[in-house]
PDB file of all heavy atoms in Angstrom:
ATOM      1  N   LEU A 133       0.832  -1.206   0.000  1.00 87.00           N
ATOM      2  CA  LEU A 133       0.000   0.000   0.000  1.00 87.00           C
ATOM      3  C   LEU A 133       0.866   1.254   0.000  1.00 87.00           C
ATOM      4  O   LEU A 133       0.533   2.246  -0.657  1.00 87.00           O
ATOM      5  CB  LEU A 133      -0.932  -0.005   1.214  1.00 87.00           C
ATOM      6  CG  LEU A 133      -2.012  -1.083   1.224  1.00 87.00           C
ATOM      7  CD1 LEU A 133      -2.777  -1.067   2.546  1.00 87.00           C
ATOM      8  CD2 LEU A 133      -2.986  -0.881   0.060  1.00 87.00           C
ATOM      9  N   ASP A 134       1.991   1.210   0.733  1.00 84.00           N
ATOM     10  CA  ASP A 134       2.928   2.335   0.738  1.00 84.00           C
ATOM     11  C   ASP A 134       3.423   2.625  -0.676  1.00 84.00           C
ATOM     12  O   ASP A 134       3.478   3.782  -1.113  1.00 84.00           O
ATOM     13  CB  ASP A 134       4.135   2.027   1.637  1.00 84.00           C
ATOM     14  CG  ASP A 134       3.888   2.422   3.081  1.00 84.00           C
ATOM     15  OD1 ASP A 134       2.833   3.025   3.360  1.00 84.00           O
ATOM     16  OD2 ASP A 134       4.736   2.110   3.935  1.00 84.00           O
ATOM     17  N   LYS A 135       3.803   1.557  -1.387  1.00 84.00           N
ATOM     18  CA  LYS A 135       4.319   1.730  -2.745  1.00 84.00           C
ATOM     19  C   LYS A 135       3.263   2.343  -3.659  1.00 84.00           C
ATOM     20  O   LYS A 135       3.538   3.271  -4.428  1.00 84.00           O
ATOM     21  CB  LYS A 135       4.769   0.385  -3.313  1.00 84.00           C
ATOM     22  CG  LYS A 135       6.060  -0.156  -2.711  1.00 84.00           C
ATOM     23  CD  LYS A 135       6.434  -1.481  -3.364  1.00 84.00           C
ATOM     24  CE  LYS A 135       7.710  -2.047  -2.772  1.00 84.00           C
ATOM     25  NZ  LYS A 135       8.061  -3.345  -3.393  1.00 84.00           N
ATOM     26  N   MET A 136       2.027   1.810  -3.584  1.00 87.00           N
ATOM     27  CA  MET A 136       0.956   2.331  -4.425  1.00 87.00           C
ATOM     28  C   MET A 136       0.655   3.789  -4.094  1.00 87.00           C
ATOM     29  O   MET A 136       0.449   4.617  -4.983  1.00 87.00           O
ATOM     30  CB  MET A 136      -0.298   1.477  -4.234  1.00 87.00           C
ATOM     31  CG  MET A 136      -0.186   0.073  -4.789  1.00 87.00           C
ATOM     32  SD  MET A 136      -1.605  -0.957  -4.314  1.00 87.00           S
ATOM     33  CE  MET A 136      -2.951  -0.050  -5.061  1.00 87.00           C
ATOM     34  N   PHE A 137       0.646   4.081  -2.791  1.00 87.00           N
ATOM     35  CA  PHE A 137       0.349   5.450  -2.360  1.00 87.00           C
ATOM     36  C   PHE A 137       1.388   6.427  -2.896  1.00 87.00           C
ATOM     37  O   PHE A 137       1.052   7.465  -3.468  1.00 87.00           O
ATOM     38  CB  PHE A 137       0.313   5.504  -0.831  1.00 87.00           C
ATOM     39  CG  PHE A 137       0.196   6.906  -0.279  1.00 87.00           C
ATOM     40  CD1 PHE A 137      -1.004   7.588  -0.362  1.00 87.00           C
ATOM     41  CD2 PHE A 137       1.286   7.527   0.307  1.00 87.00           C
ATOM     42  CE1 PHE A 137      -1.117   8.882   0.128  1.00 87.00           C
ATOM     43  CE2 PHE A 137       1.185   8.815   0.802  1.00 87.00           C
ATOM     44  CZ  PHE A 137      -0.022   9.494   0.711  1.00 87.00           C
ATOM     45  N   LEU A 138       2.661   6.085  -2.739  1.00 85.00           N
ATOM     46  CA  LEU A 138       3.725   6.995  -3.155  1.00 85.00           C
ATOM     47  C   LEU A 138       3.820   7.115  -4.674  1.00 85.00           C
ATOM     48  O   LEU A 138       4.059   8.195  -5.201  1.00 85.00           O
ATOM     49  CB  LEU A 138       5.061   6.543  -2.571  1.00 85.00           C
ATOM     50  CG  LEU A 138       5.154   6.666  -1.045  1.00 85.00           C
ATOM     51  CD1 LEU A 138       6.445   6.038  -0.537  1.00 85.00           C
ATOM     52  CD2 LEU A 138       5.062   8.123  -0.612  1.00 85.00           C
ATOM     53  N   ARG A 139       3.596   6.024  -5.384  1.00 85.00           N
ATOM     54  CA  ARG A 139       3.621   6.096  -6.848  1.00 85.00           C
ATOM     55  C   ARG A 139       2.518   7.016  -7.355  1.00 85.00           C
ATOM     56  O   ARG A 139       2.724   7.809  -8.274  1.00 85.00           O
ATOM     57  CB  ARG A 139       3.463   4.700  -7.448  1.00 85.00           C
ATOM     58  CG  ARG A 139       4.705   3.832  -7.315  1.00 85.00           C
ATOM     59  CD  ARG A 139       4.430   2.409  -7.739  1.00 85.00           C
ATOM     60  NE  ARG A 139       5.602   1.563  -7.550  1.00 85.00           N
ATOM     61  CZ  ARG A 139       5.587   0.231  -7.671  1.00 85.00           C
ATOM     62  NH1 ARG A 139       4.460  -0.386  -7.990  1.00 85.00           N
ATOM     63  NH2 ARG A 139       6.689  -0.471  -7.477  1.00 85.00           N
ATOM     64  N   GLY A 140       1.332   6.890  -6.742  1.00 85.00           N
ATOM     65  CA  GLY A 140       0.225   7.753  -7.150  1.00 85.00           C
ATOM     66  C   GLY A 140       0.453   9.196  -6.760  1.00 85.00           C
ATOM     67  O   GLY A 140       0.127  10.116  -7.519  1.00 85.00           O
ATOM     68  N   LEU A 141       1.015   9.415  -5.592  1.00 84.00           N
ATOM     69  CA  LEU A 141       1.229  10.777  -5.100  1.00 84.00           C
ATOM     70  C   LEU A 141       2.303  11.495  -5.904  1.00 84.00           C
ATOM     71  O   LEU A 141       2.165  12.674  -6.247  1.00 84.00           O
ATOM     72  CB  LEU A 141       1.639  10.741  -3.626  1.00 84.00           C
ATOM     73  CG  LEU A 141       1.848  12.103  -2.944  1.00 84.00           C
ATOM     74  CD1 LEU A 141       0.537  12.885  -2.924  1.00 84.00           C
ATOM     75  CD2 LEU A 141       2.367  11.912  -1.531  1.00 84.00           C
ATOM     76  N   LEU A 142       3.393  10.789  -6.202  1.00 82.00           N
ATOM     77  CA  LEU A 142       4.479  11.414  -6.944  1.00 82.00           C
ATOM     78  C   LEU A 142       4.124  11.625  -8.406  1.00 82.00           C
ATOM     79  O   LEU A 142       4.648  12.514  -9.056  1.00 82.00           O
ATOM     80  CB  LEU A 142       5.757  10.576  -6.830  1.00 82.00           C
ATOM     81  CG  LEU A 142       6.257  10.346  -5.403  1.00 82.00           C
ATOM     82  CD1 LEU A 142       7.564   9.590  -5.411  1.00 82.00           C
ATOM     83  CD2 LEU A 142       6.421  11.658  -4.651  1.00 82.00           C
ATOM     84  N   GLY A 143       3.189  10.779  -8.903  1.00 69.00           N
ATOM     85  CA  GLY A 143       2.668  10.985 -10.247  1.00 69.00           C
ATOM     86  C   GLY A 143       3.644  10.596 -11.347  1.00 69.00           C
ATOM     87  O   GLY A 143       4.853  10.503 -11.143  1.00 69.00           O
ATOM     88  N   GLU A 144       3.082  10.343 -12.499  1.00 58.00           N
ATOM     89  CA  GLU A 144       3.884  10.088 -13.698  1.00 58.00           C
ATOM     90  C   GLU A 144       3.347  10.981 -14.808  1.00 58.00           C
ATOM     91  O   GLU A 144       2.173  11.322 -14.841  1.00 58.00           O
ATOM     92  CB  GLU A 144       3.785   8.610 -14.127  1.00 58.00           C
ATOM     93  CG  GLU A 144       4.332   7.626 -13.112  1.00 58.00           C
ATOM     94  CD  GLU A 144       5.841   7.676 -12.973  1.00 58.00           C
ATOM     95  OE1 GLU A 144       6.466   8.473 -13.710  1.00 58.00           O
ATOM     96  OE2 GLU A 144       6.380   6.937 -12.140  1.00 58.00           O
ATOM     97  N   SER A 145       4.195  11.355 -15.724  1.00 47.00           N
ATOM     98  CA  SER A 145       3.771  12.220 -16.819  1.00 47.00           C
ATOM     99  C   SER A 145       2.815  11.486 -17.745  1.00 47.00           C
ATOM    100  O   SER A 145       2.816  10.255 -17.838  1.00 47.00           O
ATOM    101  CB  SER A 145       4.991  12.688 -17.620  1.00 47.00           C
ATOM    102  OG  SER A 145       5.574  11.592 -18.309  1.00 47.00           O
ATOM    103  N   ASP A 146       1.993  12.265 -18.486  1.00 47.00           N
ATOM    104  CA  ASP A 146       1.082  11.661 -19.464  1.00 47.00           C
ATOM    105  C   ASP A 146       1.857  10.862 -20.506  1.00 47.00           C
ATOM    106  O   ASP A 146       1.440   9.795 -20.945  1.00 47.00           O
ATOM    107  CB  ASP A 146       0.254  12.757 -20.158  1.00 47.00           C
ATOM    108  CG  ASP A 146      -0.746  13.408 -19.219  1.00 47.00           C
ATOM    109  OD1 ASP A 146      -1.055  12.796 -18.183  1.00 47.00           O
ATOM    110  OD2 ASP A 146      -1.215  14.519 -19.512  1.00 47.00           O
ATOM    111  N   GLU A 147       3.024  11.412 -20.914  1.00 47.00           N
ATOM    112  CA  GLU A 147       3.846  10.733 -21.912  1.00 47.00           C
ATOM    113  C   GLU A 147       4.305   9.376 -21.395  1.00 47.00           C
ATOM    114  O   GLU A 147       4.273   8.387 -22.122  1.00 47.00           O
ATOM    115  CB  GLU A 147       5.060  11.596 -22.256  1.00 47.00           C
ATOM    116  CG  GLU A 147       5.967  10.980 -23.321  1.00 47.00           C
ATOM    117  CD  GLU A 147       7.173  11.859 -23.620  1.00 47.00           C
ATOM    118  OE1 GLU A 147       7.262  12.958 -23.052  1.00 47.00           O
ATOM    119  OE2 GLU A 147       8.020  11.420 -24.415  1.00 47.00           O
ATOM    120  N   TYR A 148       4.699   9.310 -20.113  1.00 41.00           N
ATOM    121  CA  TYR A 148       5.152   8.047 -19.522  1.00 41.00           C
ATOM    122  C   TYR A 148       4.008   7.034 -19.537  1.00 41.00           C
ATOM    123  O   TYR A 148       4.182   5.882 -19.924  1.00 41.00           O
ATOM    124  CB  TYR A 148       5.625   8.296 -18.088  1.00 41.00           C
ATOM    125  CG  TYR A 148       6.024   7.043 -17.335  1.00 41.00           C
ATOM    126  CD1 TYR A 148       7.330   6.569 -17.393  1.00 41.00           C
ATOM    127  CD2 TYR A 148       5.099   6.327 -16.580  1.00 41.00           C
ATOM    128  CE1 TYR A 148       7.709   5.415 -16.720  1.00 41.00           C
ATOM    129  CE2 TYR A 148       5.466   5.173 -15.902  1.00 41.00           C
ATOM    130  CZ  TYR A 148       6.768   4.735 -15.972  1.00 41.00           C
ATOM    131  OH  TYR A 148       7.125   3.588 -15.297  1.00 41.00           O
ATOM    132  N   ILE A 149       2.819   7.484 -19.133  1.00 37.00           N
ATOM    133  CA  ILE A 149       1.656   6.584 -19.078  1.00 37.00           C
ATOM    134  C   ILE A 149       1.278   6.107 -20.465  1.00 37.00           C
ATOM    135  O   ILE A 149       0.993   4.934 -20.694  1.00 37.00           O
ATOM    136  CB  ILE A 149       0.465   7.298 -18.402  1.00 37.00           C
ATOM    137  CG1 ILE A 149       0.807   7.576 -16.929  1.00 37.00           C
ATOM    138  CG2 ILE A 149      -0.803   6.463 -18.493  1.00 37.00           C
ATOM    139  CD1 ILE A 149      -0.196   8.454 -16.218  1.00 37.00           C
ATOM    140  N   GLU A 150       1.299   7.043 -21.443  1.00 45.00           N
ATOM    141  CA  GLU A 150       0.948   6.670 -22.816  1.00 45.00           C
ATOM    142  C   GLU A 150       1.928   5.640 -23.357  1.00 45.00           C
ATOM    143  O   GLU A 150       1.536   4.672 -24.011  1.00 45.00           O
ATOM    144  CB  GLU A 150       0.938   7.916 -23.699  1.00 45.00           C
ATOM    145  CG  GLU A 150      -0.260   8.826 -23.420  1.00 45.00           C
ATOM    146  CD  GLU A 150      -0.124  10.164 -24.122  1.00 45.00           C
ATOM    147  OE1 GLU A 150       0.864  10.326 -24.874  1.00 45.00           O
ATOM    148  OE2 GLU A 150      -0.996  11.029 -23.923  1.00 45.00           O
ATOM    149  N   ASN A 151       3.214   5.827 -23.076  1.00 49.00           N
ATOM    150  CA  ASN A 151       4.221   4.878 -23.550  1.00 49.00           C
ATOM    151  C   ASN A 151       4.020   3.506 -22.928  1.00 49.00           C
ATOM    152  O   ASN A 151       4.245   2.475 -23.565  1.00 49.00           O
ATOM    153  CB  ASN A 151       5.628   5.392 -23.232  1.00 49.00           C
ATOM    154  CG  ASN A 151       6.025   6.562 -24.115  1.00 49.00           C
ATOM    155  OD1 ASN A 151       5.491   6.731 -25.208  1.00 49.00           O
ATOM    156  ND2 ASN A 151       6.954   7.371 -23.641  1.00 49.00           N
ATOM    157  N   LYS A 152       3.612   3.495 -21.649  1.00 41.00           N
ATOM    158  CA  LYS A 152       3.415   2.233 -20.949  1.00 41.00           C
ATOM    159  C   LYS A 152       2.188   1.496 -21.440  1.00 41.00           C
ATOM    160  O   LYS A 152       2.086   0.281 -21.321  1.00 41.00           O
ATOM    161  CB  LYS A 152       3.286   2.487 -19.439  1.00 41.00           C
ATOM    162  CG  LYS A 152       4.598   2.771 -18.733  1.00 41.00           C
ATOM    163  CD  LYS A 152       5.486   1.527 -18.702  1.00 41.00           C
ATOM    164  CE  LYS A 152       6.753   1.750 -17.913  1.00 41.00           C
ATOM    165  NZ  LYS A 152       7.609   0.553 -17.886  1.00 41.00           N
ATOM    166  N   THR A 153       1.200   2.253 -21.964  1.00 40.00           N
ATOM    167  CA  THR A 153      -0.062   1.633 -22.365  1.00 40.00           C
ATOM    168  C   THR A 153      -0.211   1.440 -23.855  1.00 40.00           C
ATOM    169  O   THR A 153      -1.214   0.947 -24.330  1.00 40.00           O
ATOM    170  CB  THR A 153      -1.248   2.482 -21.851  1.00 40.00           C
ATOM    171  OG1 THR A 153      -1.092   3.831 -22.336  1.00 40.00           O
ATOM    172  CG2 THR A 153      -1.297   2.509 -20.351  1.00 40.00           C
ATOM    173  N   LYS A 154       0.805   1.874 -24.650  1.00 49.00           N
ATOM    174  CA  LYS A 154       0.737   1.677 -26.099  1.00 49.00           C
ATOM    175  C   LYS A 154       0.775   0.197 -26.449  1.00 49.00           C
ATOM    176  O   LYS A 154       1.590  -0.542 -25.901  1.00 49.00           O
ATOM    177  CB  LYS A 154       1.925   2.380 -26.783  1.00 49.00           C
ATOM    178  CG  LYS A 154       1.730   3.873 -26.974  1.00 49.00           C
ATOM    179  CD  LYS A 154       2.935   4.464 -27.689  1.00 49.00           C
ATOM    180  CE  LYS A 154       2.778   5.959 -27.884  1.00 49.00           C
ATOM    181  NZ  LYS A 154       3.984   6.545 -28.510  1.00 49.00           N
ATOM    182  N   PRO A 155      -0.100  -0.264 -27.359  1.00 51.00           N
ATOM    183  CA  PRO A 155      -0.048  -1.676 -27.747  1.00 51.00           C
ATOM    184  C   PRO A 155       1.223  -1.953 -28.545  1.00 51.00           C
ATOM    185  O   PRO A 155       1.747  -1.092 -29.259  1.00 51.00           O
ATOM    186  CB  PRO A 155      -1.278  -1.817 -28.662  1.00 51.00           C
ATOM    187  CG  PRO A 155      -1.557  -0.422 -29.169  1.00 51.00           C
ATOM    188  CD  PRO A 155      -1.148   0.488 -28.050  1.00 51.00           C
ATOM    189  N   GLU A 156       1.764  -3.133 -28.355  1.00 48.00           N
ATOM    190  CA  GLU A 156       2.984  -3.493 -29.084  1.00 48.00           C
ATOM    191  C   GLU A 156       2.668  -3.658 -30.560  1.00 48.00           C
ATOM    192  O   GLU A 156       1.592  -4.126 -30.941  1.00 48.00           O
ATOM    193  CB  GLU A 156       3.540  -4.797 -28.516  1.00 48.00           C
ATOM    194  CG  GLU A 156       4.042  -4.672 -27.088  1.00 48.00           C
ATOM    195  CD  GLU A 156       4.652  -5.967 -26.614  1.00 48.00           C
ATOM    196  OE1 GLU A 156       4.740  -6.907 -27.426  1.00 48.00           O
ATOM    197  OE2 GLU A 156       5.046  -6.055 -25.436  1.00 48.00           O
ATOM    198  N   LYS A 157       3.643  -3.252 -31.416  1.00 50.00           N
ATOM    199  CA  LYS A 157       3.452  -3.377 -32.858  1.00 50.00           C
ATOM    200  C   LYS A 157       3.523  -4.843 -33.255  1.00 50.00           C
ATOM    201  O   LYS A 157       4.312  -5.604 -32.725  1.00 50.00           O
ATOM    202  CB  LYS A 157       4.557  -2.591 -33.589  1.00 50.00           C
ATOM    203  CG  LYS A 157       4.447  -1.093 -33.404  1.00 50.00           C
ATOM    204  CD  LYS A 157       5.546  -0.385 -34.186  1.00 50.00           C
ATOM    205  CE  LYS A 157       5.451   1.125 -34.031  1.00 50.00           C
ATOM    206  NZ  LYS A 157       6.516   1.819 -34.795  1.00 50.00           N
ATOM    207  N   GLU A 158       2.649  -5.179 -34.194  1.00 46.00           N
ATOM    208  CA  GLU A 158       2.668  -6.544 -34.692  1.00 46.00           C
ATOM    209  C   GLU A 158       3.880  -6.738 -35.574  1.00 46.00           C
ATOM    210  O   GLU A 158       4.285  -5.861 -36.319  1.00 46.00           O
ATOM    211  CB  GLU A 158       1.396  -6.810 -35.502  1.00 46.00           C
ATOM    212  CG  GLU A 158       0.141  -6.805 -34.621  1.00 46.00           C
ATOM    213  CD  GLU A 158      -1.088  -7.168 -35.428  1.00 46.00           C
ATOM    214  OE1 GLU A 158      -0.916  -7.534 -36.619  1.00 46.00           O
ATOM    215  OE2 GLU A 158      -2.189  -7.116 -34.890  1.00 46.00           O
ATOM    216  N   ILE A 159       4.474  -7.912 -35.447  1.00 44.00           N
ATOM    217  CA  ILE A 159       5.668  -8.221 -36.253  1.00 44.00           C
ATOM    218  C   ILE A 159       5.233  -8.938 -37.519  1.00 44.00           C
ATOM    219  O   ILE A 159       4.444  -9.861 -37.476  1.00 44.00           O
ATOM    220  CB  ILE A 159       6.651  -9.125 -35.445  1.00 44.00           C
ATOM    221  CG1 ILE A 159       7.106  -8.350 -34.204  1.00 44.00           C
ATOM    222  CG2 ILE A 159       7.843  -9.519 -36.304  1.00 44.00           C
ATOM    223  CD1 ILE A 159       7.987  -9.159 -33.291  1.00 44.00           C
TER     224      ILE A 159
END
């Protein structure tokens, strides 16, 4: 819970989130 709390509080940029959620390209 500490980890989740601090990750949410410190925040991540929209670009970071978008990169993490982009679907992988088909090969």
Side-chain angles (χ1 to χ4, degrees):
L133 293 174
D134 272 354
K135 287 181 181 179
M136 291 172 61
F137 172 74
L138 293 173
R139 286 172 183 171
L141 182 63
L142 302 184
E144 297 290 358
S145 68
D146 291 341
E147 181 181 357
Y148 176 89
I149 294 171
E150 288 170 4
N151 288 337
K152 283 292 184 180
T153 55
K154 279 182 181 177
E156 293 183 4
K157 292 182 179 180
E158 293 184 6
I159 298 176

